[in-house]
Amino acid sequence: MFVTHLECTACRLHHEWSRLQNLCTACGKPLFAIVDLTAAGRTLTREALATREKSLWRYRELLPLPEYVEPVSLGEGGTPLLRAARFGGDVDLWIKDESQNPTQSFKARGMSVAVSMAKYLGATKLAVPSAGNAGGALAAYAARAGLEANIFMPRETPRANIIECRELGAHVTLVDGLITDCGAEIARRKTTEGWFDMSTLKEPYRIEGKKTLGYELAEQFDWKLPDVILYPTGGGTGLIGMWKAFYEMETLDWIGKKRPRMFSVQATDCAPIVRAFENGDSTAAEFANARTCASGLRVPKAIGDYLILSILRESHGGAVAIDDEEMIRTTREVGSSEGLFVAPEGAACFAALQYLRRAGKIASAERVVIFNTGSGIKYLDCYEA
Ligand SMILES: Cc1ncc(COP(=O)(O)O)c(C=O)c1O
Ligand SMILES: [Zn+2]
Protein backbone atom coordinates (compact mmCIF):
# COMPACT_ATOMS: atom_id res chain seq x y z
CA MET A 1 0.00 0.00 0.00
CA PHE A 2 1.19 3.46 -0.90
CA VAL A 3 -0.42 5.81 1.65
CA THR A 4 2.53 7.46 3.38
CA HIS A 5 0.78 9.70 5.93
CA LEU A 6 -2.25 11.86 6.67
CA GLU A 7 -2.05 15.61 6.10
CA CYS A 8 -4.26 18.36 7.49
CA THR A 9 -6.20 20.15 4.72
CA ALA A 10 -5.86 23.45 6.61
CA CYS A 11 -2.55 23.65 8.55
CA ARG A 12 -0.75 20.80 6.65
CA LEU A 13 0.35 19.08 9.87
CA HIS A 14 1.25 15.42 9.27
CA HIS A 15 -0.41 12.57 11.19
CA GLU A 16 0.32 8.85 11.18
CA TRP A 17 -1.95 6.70 9.02
CA SER A 18 -1.23 3.62 11.15
CA ARG A 19 -3.43 4.57 14.09
CA LEU A 20 -7.08 5.56 14.32
CA GLN A 21 -7.38 9.29 13.56
CA ASN A 22 -10.21 11.76 13.35
CA LEU A 23 -9.57 15.49 12.83
CA CYS A 24 -6.25 17.37 12.88
CA THR A 25 -4.92 17.33 16.42
CA ALA A 26 -3.67 20.93 16.06
CA CYS A 27 -6.50 22.80 14.30
CA GLY A 28 -9.51 20.44 14.22
CA LYS A 29 -9.87 20.37 10.43
CA PRO A 30 -10.21 17.28 8.14
CA LEU A 31 -7.21 15.13 7.19
CA PHE A 32 -6.39 13.78 3.73
CA ALA A 33 -4.55 10.53 3.04
CA ILE A 34 -1.43 11.23 0.98
CA VAL A 35 -0.52 8.54 -1.56
CA ASP A 36 2.99 8.05 -2.99
CA LEU A 37 1.77 8.37 -6.57
CA THR A 38 5.14 7.66 -8.16
CA ALA A 39 5.31 4.29 -6.44
CA ALA A 40 1.60 3.51 -6.96
CA GLY A 41 1.86 4.38 -10.66
CA ARG A 42 4.67 1.88 -11.16
CA THR A 43 2.38 -1.07 -10.45
CA LEU A 44 -1.00 0.37 -11.41
CA THR A 45 -1.33 1.53 -15.00
CA ARG A 46 -4.40 2.52 -16.97
CA GLU A 47 -3.92 -0.60 -19.09
CA ALA A 48 -3.76 -2.88 -16.02
CA LEU A 49 -7.16 -1.58 -14.85
CA ALA A 50 -8.91 -3.02 -17.87
CA THR A 51 -8.20 -6.55 -16.66
CA ARG A 52 -9.38 -6.09 -13.05
CA GLU A 53 -12.61 -6.78 -11.14
CA LYS A 54 -15.32 -4.15 -11.44
CA SER A 55 -15.46 -3.08 -7.74
CA LEU A 56 -13.72 0.08 -6.50
CA TRP A 57 -10.95 -2.10 -5.09
CA ARG A 58 -9.67 -2.21 -8.68
CA TYR A 59 -7.86 1.03 -7.67
CA ARG A 60 -6.25 -0.78 -4.76
CA GLU A 61 -2.82 0.86 -5.09
CA LEU A 62 -4.45 4.29 -4.73
CA LEU A 63 -6.45 3.31 -1.65
CA PRO A 64 -5.43 2.72 1.98
CA LEU A 65 -5.23 -0.81 3.47
CA PRO A 66 -2.11 -3.00 3.37
CA GLU A 67 -2.19 -5.40 0.42
CA TYR A 68 -2.30 -8.55 2.56
CA VAL A 69 -5.54 -7.41 4.29
CA GLU A 70 -8.86 -8.48 2.76
CA PRO A 71 -11.16 -5.46 2.23
CA VAL A 72 -14.64 -5.41 3.74
CA SER A 73 -16.56 -5.50 0.50
CA LEU A 74 -20.07 -6.05 -0.85
CA GLY A 75 -19.21 -5.34 -4.49
CA GLU A 76 -19.32 -1.50 -4.29
CA GLY A 77 -18.38 0.78 -7.17
CA GLY A 78 -18.19 -0.05 -10.87
CA THR A 79 -21.57 1.60 -11.41
CA PRO A 80 -22.88 2.33 -14.90
CA LEU A 81 -22.44 5.65 -16.65
CA LEU A 82 -25.64 5.99 -18.67
CA ARG A 83 -26.29 8.31 -21.61
CA ALA A 84 -29.46 10.33 -20.98
CA ALA A 85 -30.34 11.52 -24.47
CA ARG A 86 -34.04 12.07 -23.91
CA PHE A 87 -33.77 14.22 -20.77
CA GLY A 88 -30.54 15.84 -21.97
CA GLY A 89 -31.99 17.31 -25.17
CA ASP A 90 -29.25 19.36 -26.81
CA VAL A 91 -26.82 18.69 -23.94
CA ASP A 92 -24.58 15.61 -23.99
CA LEU A 93 -25.95 14.33 -20.67
CA TRP A 94 -24.73 11.30 -18.71
CA ILE A 95 -25.90 9.81 -15.42
CA LYS A 96 -23.50 8.09 -13.05
CA ASP A 97 -26.04 5.79 -11.43
CA GLU A 98 -24.87 5.30 -7.87
CA SER A 99 -28.17 3.73 -6.83
CA GLN A 100 -26.74 0.46 -8.15
CA ASN A 101 -24.30 0.20 -5.23
CA PRO A 102 -24.82 -2.11 -2.22
CA THR A 103 -27.44 -0.45 0.07
CA GLN A 104 -28.52 1.55 -3.00
CA SER A 105 -26.36 4.63 -2.59
CA PHE A 106 -22.88 6.04 -3.15
CA LYS A 107 -22.30 5.93 0.63
CA ALA A 108 -21.23 2.31 0.13
CA ARG A 109 -17.99 3.50 -1.47
CA GLY A 110 -16.84 5.51 1.52
CA MET A 111 -17.95 2.95 4.06
CA SER A 112 -16.26 -0.01 2.36
CA VAL A 113 -12.89 1.74 2.59
CA ALA A 114 -13.45 3.38 6.01
CA VAL A 115 -14.77 0.22 7.70
CA SER A 116 -11.91 -1.80 6.19
CA MET A 117 -9.40 0.63 7.70
CA ALA A 118 -11.20 1.00 11.05
CA LYS A 119 -11.24 -2.77 11.47
CA TYR A 120 -7.59 -3.10 10.44
CA LEU A 121 -6.56 -0.37 12.91
CA GLY A 122 -8.40 -2.08 15.76
CA ALA A 123 -11.75 -0.30 16.17
CA THR A 124 -14.56 -2.55 17.42
CA LYS A 125 -17.45 -0.12 17.92
CA LEU A 126 -18.29 2.36 15.19
CA ALA A 127 -20.63 5.35 15.38
CA VAL A 128 -22.02 7.68 12.74
CA PRO A 129 -24.53 10.51 12.46
CA SER A 130 -26.55 9.98 9.32
CA ALA A 131 -29.16 11.63 7.17
CA GLY A 132 -30.11 8.13 6.07
CA ASN A 133 -27.96 6.49 3.45
CA ALA A 134 -24.65 6.66 5.30
CA GLY A 135 -26.28 4.86 8.22
CA GLY A 136 -27.51 2.04 5.99
CA ALA A 137 -24.07 1.70 4.44
CA LEU A 138 -22.27 1.69 7.80
CA ALA A 139 -24.73 -0.88 9.18
CA ALA A 140 -24.08 -3.18 6.22
CA TYR A 141 -20.27 -2.93 6.20
CA ALA A 142 -19.99 -3.12 10.01
CA ALA A 143 -22.12 -6.30 9.97
CA ARG A 144 -19.91 -7.74 7.25
CA ALA A 145 -16.80 -6.85 9.27
CA GLY A 146 -18.20 -8.24 12.54
CA LEU A 147 -18.10 -4.80 14.19
CA GLU A 148 -20.73 -2.92 16.19
CA ALA A 149 -22.56 -0.04 14.49
CA ASN A 150 -24.17 2.82 16.43
CA ILE A 151 -26.24 5.06 14.20
CA PHE A 152 -27.74 8.41 15.15
CA MET A 153 -30.41 9.69 12.79
CA PRO A 154 -32.85 12.59 12.83
CA ARG A 155 -36.35 11.34 13.66
CA GLU A 156 -37.45 12.64 10.22
CA THR A 157 -35.10 10.29 8.33
CA PRO A 158 -36.92 8.28 5.63
CA ARG A 159 -38.47 5.14 7.16
CA ALA A 160 -36.66 2.82 4.77
CA ASN A 161 -33.26 3.98 6.05
CA ILE A 162 -34.25 3.46 9.69
CA ILE A 163 -35.68 -0.01 9.10
CA GLU A 164 -32.69 -0.96 6.94
CA CYS A 165 -30.22 -0.05 9.73
CA ARG A 166 -32.15 -2.09 12.30
CA GLU A 167 -32.46 -5.13 10.07
CA LEU A 168 -28.72 -4.97 9.44
CA GLY A 169 -28.19 -5.31 13.19
CA ALA A 170 -27.15 -1.74 14.03
CA HIS A 171 -28.06 0.12 17.23
CA VAL A 172 -30.26 2.97 16.02
CA THR A 173 -30.98 6.13 18.00
CA LEU A 174 -33.50 8.63 16.63
CA VAL A 175 -32.73 12.22 17.57
CA ASP A 176 -35.13 15.17 17.68
CA GLY A 177 -32.97 17.45 15.58
CA LEU A 178 -30.73 17.57 12.53
CA ILE A 179 -27.63 15.61 11.50
CA THR A 180 -25.47 18.21 13.27
CA ASP A 181 -27.30 17.39 16.55
CA CYS A 182 -26.67 13.68 15.91
CA GLY A 183 -22.95 14.41 15.41
CA ALA A 184 -22.83 16.40 18.64
CA GLU A 185 -24.43 13.52 20.56
CA ILE A 186 -21.75 11.11 19.28
CA ALA A 187 -18.98 13.58 20.15
CA ARG A 188 -20.37 13.79 23.70
CA ARG A 189 -20.54 10.02 24.25
CA LYS A 190 -17.80 8.48 22.13
CA THR A 191 -15.03 8.44 24.73
CA THR A 192 -17.04 6.76 27.47
CA GLU A 193 -18.68 4.34 25.03
CA GLY A 194 -15.43 3.46 23.20
CA TRP A 195 -16.86 4.38 19.79
CA PHE A 196 -14.77 5.32 16.76
CA ASP A 197 -16.40 8.32 15.07
CA MET A 198 -17.07 7.56 11.39
CA SER A 199 -18.60 11.00 10.56
CA THR A 200 -17.84 12.09 7.03
CA LEU A 201 -14.58 14.07 6.82
CA LYS A 202 -14.02 13.59 10.56
CA GLU A 203 -12.51 10.26 9.57
CA PRO A 204 -9.92 10.28 6.77
CA TYR A 205 -10.87 7.23 4.67
CA ARG A 206 -14.51 7.65 3.63
CA ILE A 207 -13.24 10.30 1.22
CA GLU A 208 -10.75 7.79 -0.20
CA GLY A 209 -13.67 5.55 -1.11
CA LYS A 210 -15.60 8.48 -2.54
CA LYS A 211 -12.67 9.62 -4.67
CA THR A 212 -13.16 6.49 -6.79
CA LEU A 213 -16.17 8.32 -8.29
CA GLY A 214 -13.62 10.52 -10.04
CA TYR A 215 -11.38 7.65 -11.12
CA GLU A 216 -14.32 5.71 -12.55
CA LEU A 217 -15.66 8.70 -14.42
CA ALA A 218 -12.30 9.31 -16.11
CA GLU A 219 -11.89 5.62 -16.94
CA GLN A 220 -15.43 5.33 -18.35
CA PHE A 221 -14.87 8.40 -20.56
CA ASP A 222 -11.54 7.03 -21.80
CA TRP A 223 -9.55 9.43 -19.57
CA LYS A 224 -11.28 12.61 -20.75
CA LEU A 225 -13.20 14.46 -18.04
CA PRO A 226 -16.61 16.01 -18.87
CA ASP A 227 -17.24 19.76 -19.18
CA VAL A 228 -19.62 19.96 -16.21
CA ILE A 229 -20.40 17.91 -13.08
CA LEU A 230 -23.59 18.43 -11.08
CA TYR A 231 -23.29 17.03 -7.56
CA PRO A 232 -25.98 17.00 -4.84
CA THR A 233 -24.07 18.45 -1.91
CA GLY A 234 -24.61 17.82 1.78
CA GLY A 235 -21.24 17.31 3.44
CA GLY A 236 -19.61 17.50 0.01
CA THR A 237 -17.46 14.41 0.48
CA GLY A 238 -17.95 13.11 -3.06
CA LEU A 239 -17.17 16.48 -4.61
CA ILE A 240 -14.02 16.92 -2.53
CA GLY A 241 -13.03 13.30 -3.17
CA MET A 242 -13.41 13.66 -6.94
CA TRP A 243 -11.30 16.80 -6.94
CA LYS A 244 -8.59 14.91 -5.05
CA ALA A 245 -8.84 12.11 -7.62
CA PHE A 246 -8.41 14.58 -10.50
CA TYR A 247 -5.23 15.92 -8.90
CA GLU A 248 -3.91 12.39 -8.34
CA MET A 249 -4.72 11.33 -11.90
CA GLU A 250 -2.95 14.36 -13.35
CA THR A 251 0.12 13.56 -11.21
CA LEU A 252 -0.04 9.97 -12.46
CA ASP A 253 -0.13 11.41 -16.00
CA TRP A 254 -3.47 9.67 -16.62
CA ILE A 255 -5.34 12.89 -17.48
CA GLY A 256 -4.40 16.42 -18.52
CA LYS A 257 -5.00 19.77 -16.84
CA LYS A 258 -8.63 20.20 -17.89
CA ARG A 259 -11.14 20.09 -15.03
CA PRO A 260 -14.93 19.98 -15.20
CA ARG A 261 -16.88 22.99 -13.95
CA MET A 262 -18.15 21.67 -10.61
CA PHE A 263 -21.62 22.66 -9.40
CA SER A 264 -23.04 21.98 -5.95
CA VAL A 265 -26.78 21.42 -5.94
CA GLN A 266 -28.66 21.97 -2.68
CA ALA A 267 -32.25 22.37 -1.44
CA THR A 268 -33.76 25.87 -1.24
CA ASP A 269 -34.51 25.48 2.48
CA CYS A 270 -31.05 24.11 3.29
CA ALA A 271 -28.56 25.86 1.05
CA PRO A 272 -25.55 26.96 3.14
CA ILE A 273 -23.07 26.43 0.31
CA VAL A 274 -25.21 28.25 -2.27
CA ARG A 275 -25.57 31.22 0.06
CA ALA A 276 -21.84 31.33 0.87
CA PHE A 277 -20.91 30.98 -2.82
CA GLU A 278 -23.19 33.86 -3.79
CA ASN A 279 -21.88 36.02 -0.94
CA GLY A 280 -18.27 35.39 -1.91
CA ASP A 281 -17.53 33.79 1.48
CA SER A 282 -14.80 31.19 2.00
CA THR A 283 -16.74 29.30 4.69
CA ALA A 284 -20.48 28.68 5.07
CA ALA A 285 -22.47 29.74 8.11
CA GLU A 286 -24.94 27.28 9.61
CA PHE A 287 -28.30 27.40 7.79
CA ALA A 288 -31.14 28.01 10.22
CA ASN A 289 -34.37 25.94 10.17
CA ALA A 290 -33.02 23.54 7.57
CA ARG A 291 -35.80 21.56 5.88
CA THR A 292 -36.01 19.34 2.80
CA CYS A 293 -37.33 15.91 1.88
CA ALA A 294 -33.95 15.23 0.27
CA SER A 295 -32.53 14.05 3.58
CA GLY A 296 -28.97 13.77 2.22
CA LEU A 297 -29.06 17.52 1.57
CA ARG A 298 -30.36 18.35 5.06
CA VAL A 299 -26.88 19.33 6.27
CA PRO A 300 -26.99 22.86 7.73
CA LYS A 301 -23.24 23.04 8.37
CA ALA A 302 -20.48 21.10 6.60
CA ILE A 303 -17.05 20.71 8.19
CA GLY A 304 -15.45 20.73 4.71
CA ASP A 305 -17.24 23.93 3.63
CA TYR A 306 -13.99 25.76 2.79
CA LEU A 307 -12.85 22.87 0.59
CA ILE A 308 -16.18 22.74 -1.31
CA LEU A 309 -16.26 26.50 -1.88
CA SER A 310 -12.69 26.65 -3.13
CA ILE A 311 -13.35 23.80 -5.61
CA LEU A 312 -16.50 25.48 -6.96
CA ARG A 313 -14.53 28.70 -7.55
CA GLU A 314 -11.33 27.16 -8.88
CA SER A 315 -13.31 25.07 -11.37
CA HIS A 316 -15.41 28.07 -12.52
CA GLY A 317 -18.54 26.20 -11.49
CA GLY A 318 -21.17 27.35 -9.03
CA ALA A 319 -23.99 26.45 -6.68
CA VAL A 320 -27.71 26.08 -7.33
CA ALA A 321 -30.68 25.67 -4.97
CA ILE A 322 -33.79 23.72 -5.99
CA ASP A 323 -37.01 23.55 -4.00
CA ASP A 324 -38.59 20.30 -2.88
CA GLU A 325 -41.64 20.60 -5.11
CA GLU A 326 -39.42 20.86 -8.16
CA MET A 327 -37.31 17.87 -7.05
CA ILE A 328 -40.44 15.74 -6.75
CA ARG A 329 -41.79 16.92 -10.11
CA THR A 330 -38.43 16.32 -11.80
CA THR A 331 -38.17 12.78 -10.39
CA ARG A 332 -41.10 11.73 -12.57
CA GLU A 333 -39.68 13.55 -15.59
CA VAL A 334 -36.41 11.63 -15.21
CA GLY A 335 -38.23 8.39 -14.46
CA SER A 336 -40.47 8.56 -17.49
CA SER A 337 -37.73 9.69 -19.88
CA GLU A 338 -34.75 7.63 -18.67
CA GLY A 339 -36.15 4.68 -16.73
CA LEU A 340 -34.49 5.50 -13.41
CA PHE A 341 -36.37 6.13 -10.15
CA VAL A 342 -33.85 8.62 -8.78
CA ALA A 343 -33.47 9.89 -5.22
CA PRO A 344 -34.68 13.48 -4.64
CA GLU A 345 -31.00 14.49 -4.26
CA GLY A 346 -30.36 13.18 -7.79
CA ALA A 347 -33.57 14.77 -9.08
CA ALA A 348 -32.36 18.14 -7.77
CA CYS A 349 -29.40 17.93 -10.17
CA PHE A 350 -31.66 17.33 -13.16
CA ALA A 351 -33.70 20.39 -12.19
CA ALA A 352 -30.44 22.33 -11.77
CA LEU A 353 -29.39 21.30 -15.29
CA GLN A 354 -32.59 22.78 -16.71
CA TYR A 355 -32.00 25.97 -14.73
CA LEU A 356 -28.32 26.30 -15.76
CA ARG A 357 -29.18 25.64 -19.42
CA ARG A 358 -31.85 28.37 -19.37
CA ALA A 359 -29.43 30.74 -17.62
CA GLY A 360 -26.82 30.13 -20.34
CA LYS A 361 -24.32 28.65 -17.88
CA ILE A 362 -24.26 25.35 -19.74
CA ALA A 363 -24.04 25.48 -23.55
CA SER A 364 -25.54 23.06 -26.06
CA ALA A 365 -23.43 19.97 -26.82
CA GLU A 366 -21.44 20.32 -23.60
CA ARG A 367 -20.80 17.04 -21.83
CA VAL A 368 -22.55 17.05 -18.44
CA VAL A 369 -22.50 14.36 -15.75
CA ILE A 370 -25.15 14.09 -13.04
CA PHE A 371 -24.55 11.93 -10.00
CA ASN A 372 -27.68 10.05 -9.03
CA THR A 373 -26.41 9.34 -5.55
CA GLY A 374 -29.29 7.18 -4.32
CA SER A 375 -32.55 5.43 -5.13
CA GLY A 376 -36.08 6.83 -5.03
CA ILE A 377 -37.18 3.53 -3.45
CA LYS A 378 -35.74 4.67 -0.10
CA TYR A 379 -37.88 7.85 -0.15
CA LEU A 380 -41.42 6.53 -0.56
CA ASP A 381 -42.49 8.93 2.24
CA CYS A 382 -41.60 11.86 -0.08
CA TYR A 383 -43.34 10.48 -3.13
CA GLU A 384 -46.51 9.12 -1.50
CA ALA A 385 -48.07 12.47 -0.69
C1 LIG B 1 -28.62 10.30 -1.72
C2 LIG B 1 -27.62 11.29 -1.19
N1 LIG B 1 -27.15 12.24 -2.02
C3 LIG B 1 -26.26 13.16 -1.61
C4 LIG B 1 -25.79 13.20 -0.30
C5 LIG B 1 -24.79 14.24 0.09
O1 LIG B 1 -23.52 13.68 0.04
P1 LIG B 1 -22.18 14.44 0.43
O2 LIG B 1 -22.05 14.34 1.91
O3 LIG B 1 -21.07 13.75 -0.30
O4 LIG B 1 -22.34 15.85 -0.02
C6 LIG B 1 -26.24 12.23 0.59
C7 LIG B 1 -25.76 12.23 1.99
O5 LIG B 1 -26.38 11.76 2.91
C8 LIG B 1 -27.17 11.24 0.14
O6 LIG B 1 -27.62 10.29 0.97
ZN1 LIG C 1 -4.55 21.22 11.03
Side-chain angles (χ1 to χ4, degrees), residues 7-13 15 23-31:
E7 187 180 291
C8 176
T9 54
C11 77
R12 306 288 156 202
L13 186 70
H15 296 65
L23 294 168
C24 174
T25 51
C27 76
K29 297 292 186 197
L31 304 175

Side-chain angles (χ1 to χ4, degrees), residues 127-175:
V128 81
S130 171
N133 287 310
L138 178 69
Y141 286 93
R144 191 131 181 108
L147 305 180
E148 181 182 300
N150 297 278
I151 297 166
F152 289 76
M153 297 164 126
R155 198 171 294 283
E156 277 174 42
T157 300
R159 262 170 61 75
N161 296 125
I162 298 171
I163 295 168
E164 175 185 36
C165 290
R166 286 188 183 143
E167 295 307 315
L168 287 164
H171 302 289
V172 179
T173 306
L174 298 181
V175 173

Side-chain angles (χ1 to χ4, degrees), residues 106-107 131 133 210 231-238 296-297 343 345 373-374 379:
F106 72 149
K107 299 283 177 182
N133 287 310
K210 289 271 190 90
Y231 182 83
T233 304
T237 316
L297 305 184
E345 294 87 345
T373 44
Y379 297 79

Side-chain angles (χ1 to χ4, degrees), residues 214-234:
Y215 279 98
E216 277 181 27
L217 199 59
E219 193 181 350
Q220 287 171 308
F221 278 138
D222 201 18
W223 310 103
K224 284 180 207 70
L225 297 179
D227 298 306
V228 173
I229 285 178
L230 304 180
Y231 182 83
T233 304

Side-chain angles (χ1 to χ4, degrees), residues 19 32 34 136 138-139 146 150 185 216:
R19 33 182 296 210
F32 269 6
I34 305 301
L138 178 69
N150 297 278
E185 180 69 8
E216 277 181 27

